[in-house]
Amino acid sequence: AALKDIVKCLPDKEATGRQGMLFSATIAPHVEKFAHLVLNKQYKFISTIPKGEANNHERVPQLLVTVPSFHNVAPALVSAIRSEMKLVGKENFKAIVFAPTGSLADWYQHILASLGDLPEVMVLHSKLSQGKRTNTTEAFRKSTSSILVATDVVARGMDFPNVSNVFQAGLPADKESYIHRLGRTARAGKEGRAFFIVTESEAFFPKFTLKEINFQSSEIDYLSSVAEVEKAAVKFENKGKVYQAWLGYYKNYLKQMRWDVEQLVDEGNQFAFKALMSPEVPGIPKNTIGKMGLKGVRGLNVVANFEKPPRGGGGGRGGGGGAGRGGSNNA
C-alpha cells in the first residue's frame, strides 16, 4: 500500500513518457506485481544471473539441527560453529549468525565472545546507533576471519565478501527471510555452508514452510558445550530483555507450535532458568505485559510500571532505573 501511494505521486507514465527502472536482488511474485505499476507495459527484463545457474538454496549444503528445547539452542550453536571452523580452518572462518531479535543477538554475541577459542565476535541490529552499525559493518566486511551475530538488518542488500558459513538460530520470519539470510554465503563464485538450528517445537518450519529445501540432518553433540554456555550465561546482565524479547517473538507462532499463552510463558520461564541462568523469572512491567497481550497469564513476574523522571532530570520514583522486583532486568 505504501509503495502504491508513492507511485501515485509520480508523473503519469503514459502522459509524460517518463522512464522507469526497477532493481531488485530477487524477483519474487510480489516484486513482479509491483513492476507492472512502475514500468511501461513493454518493459525489458534483464537478469544478471547466468542462464541455468542454480539458486543459493539449491547449491549450498544446508544442515538441519533439531534439539529438544530452547535452552539447547546456544550449546548446539557453539558446537556447530566449532565443527565448521575446524572444517574450513580458523583463518578462513567468516560466519554470520542470525538471531530472531536484537536482544537475542546480544545474548548469542555474549556467549560466543566468552568462549575464547573463536575469532572476533561482533553484533549488529537496529537497536544500535547508526555510527556503531556503520563501524561494525565495515569491520566485518574487511575482516578475513570473524563472526557477526545479527538480525535481518543484514539479510538483504548487504554484500560481505568471503562469508564461509551462515547459521540460523531460531525461526526466521518467513521462507523469503530464510533464503535471503542463506544468500549471504556462497557469493561471487565462492563456496559456503549453512546450519539451521531449531527446537522440536519449531520443527514445523523446515518440514512445511521450507519443504522444498533439501536439508541434511546433522547430529551435533551440543551436550559437550553446555557447561561453557551456562558459565557465560551467568555473567550476562540483560536477562530480562532477552526473556521479554523471546516471549514477544514466539507469541507470533502459538498456532503453528500448538501452544496457548500459558505454555508460552512456561516455556519462556524454562528458557530463563535453563538458558539465561536466571535465579528467578525476570520481571516485566505491568503495562508492557498488557501491550504483549499476556495480561493475567499465570507464571509471569509482574513488576511496577516504569515512570519517566520529571522534566529537568533526575529525581522522581523510577528515575534511577529501578522499578520493583526484577525491574533492573527490563531497561
Side-chain angles (χ1 to χ4, degrees):
L3 291 174
K4 289 181 180 178
D5 290 339
I6 293 172
V7 171
K8 289 177 183 177
C9 298
L10 299 174
D12 182 82
K13 59 185 176 183
E14 299 295 339
T16 63
R18 65 170 171 80
Q19 184 180 27
M21 292 181 285
L22 173 67
F23 299 90
S24 180
T26 56
I27 308 296
H30 67 278
V31 176
E32 287 189 38
K33 291 179 181 179
F34 181 68
H36 291 290
L37 295 175
V38 180
L39 309 176
N40 290 323
K41 293 179 181 178
Q42 292 81 26
Y43 73 85
K44 186 175 182 180
F45 176 75
I46 300 173
S47 175
T48 60
I49 301 173
K51 190 174 181 180
E53 182 175 310
N55 292 320
N56 262 34
H57 66 275
E58 296 172 323
R59 60 189 178 86
V60 173
Q62 294 162 77
L63 292 88
L64 177 65
V65 178
T66 306
V67 294
S69 192
F70 288 92
H71 65 275
N72 306 128
V73 174
L77 175 62
V78 170
S79 294
I81 285 174
R82 283 175 168 160
S83 173
E84 290 296 291
M85 187 171 69
K86 184 177 180 181
L87 186 67
V88 303
K90 185 175 181 178
E91 67 281 359
N92 298 316
F93 184 71
K94 186 174 181 179
I96 300 178
V97 176
F98 283 101
T101 73
S103 294
L104 283 161
D106 286 335
W107 152 251
Y108 288 126
Q109 189 273 340
H110 169 83
I111 297 297
L112 297 176
S114 300
L115 299 177
D117 64 332
L118 302 182
E120 181 183 5
V121 185
M122 314 173 196
V123 67
L124 189 62
H125 52 73
S126 61
K127 295 179 183 179
L128 299 173
S129 68
Q130 184 58 56
K132 177 66 174 175
R133 279 183 278 169
T134 300
N135 291 339
T136 300
T137 299
E138 285 304 305
F140 185 67
R141 182 175 284 121
K142 294 175 181 178
S143 169
T144 56
S145 177
S146 58
I147 299 171
L148 178 66
V149 185
T151 57
D152 282 330
V153 295
V154 303
R156 305 181 187 218
M158 301 284 274
D159 182 30
F160 297 110
N162 303 319
V163 173
S164 61
N165 297 84
V166 166
F167 300 85
Q168 301 192 45
L171 298 184
D174 48 37
K175 176 182 176 181
E176 287 72 24
S177 295
Y178 173 87
I179 291 175
H180 277 288
R181 290 172 168 188
L182 184 69
R184 298 312 96 196
T185 189
R187 297 172 70 86
K190 301 286 186 177
E191 297 297 319
R193 285 164 60 85
F195 267 84
F196 188 26
I197 302 171
V198 297
T199 64
E200 291 177 357
S201 298
E202 300 168 298
F204 72 89
F205 198 93
K207 185 176 182 180
F208 299 110
T209 308
L210 302 177
K211 59 185 177 182
E212 295 138 9
I213 303 292
N214 184 26
F215 284 108
Q216 302 172 27
S217 181
S218 177
E219 298 292 332
I220 288 291
D221 177 23
Y222 63 88
L223 293 176
S224 62
S225 302
V226 169
E228 288 175 281
V229 170
E230 290 181 348
K231 183 179 179 181
V234 170
K235 298 179 181 179
F236 185 75
E237 295 182 354
N238 294 321
K239 301 179 193 294
K241 282 186 177 181
V242 180
Y243 169 74
Q244 185 175 311
W246 188 97
L247 288 175
Y249 190 78
Y250 282 100
K251 188 174 183 292
N252 298 318
Y253 294 97
L254 293 182
K255 184 178 180 181
Q256 296 95 320
M257 295 193 296
R258 299 179 181 177
W259 289 0
D260 57 20
V261 288
E262 289 197 352
Q263 186 170 355
L264 170 73
V265 170
D266 181 63
E267 294 283 349
N269 291 350
Q270 293 302 312
F271 175 74
F273 293 138
K274 297 180 180 180
L276 301 175
M277 303 304 289
S278 178
E280 65 175 358
V281 175
I284 302 179
K286 184 177 180 181
N287 58 357
T288 302
I289 288 175
K291 292 175 184 177
M292 294 175 70
L294 298 175
K295 184 178 180 180
V297 180
R298 290 180 297 177
L300 291 171
N301 177 12
V302 184
V303 300
N305 294 333
F306 291 117
E307 294 182 9
K308 293 182 180 180
R311 287 187 179 181
R317 182 171 167 267
R325 186 164 68 96
S328 61
N329 282 334
N330 294 279

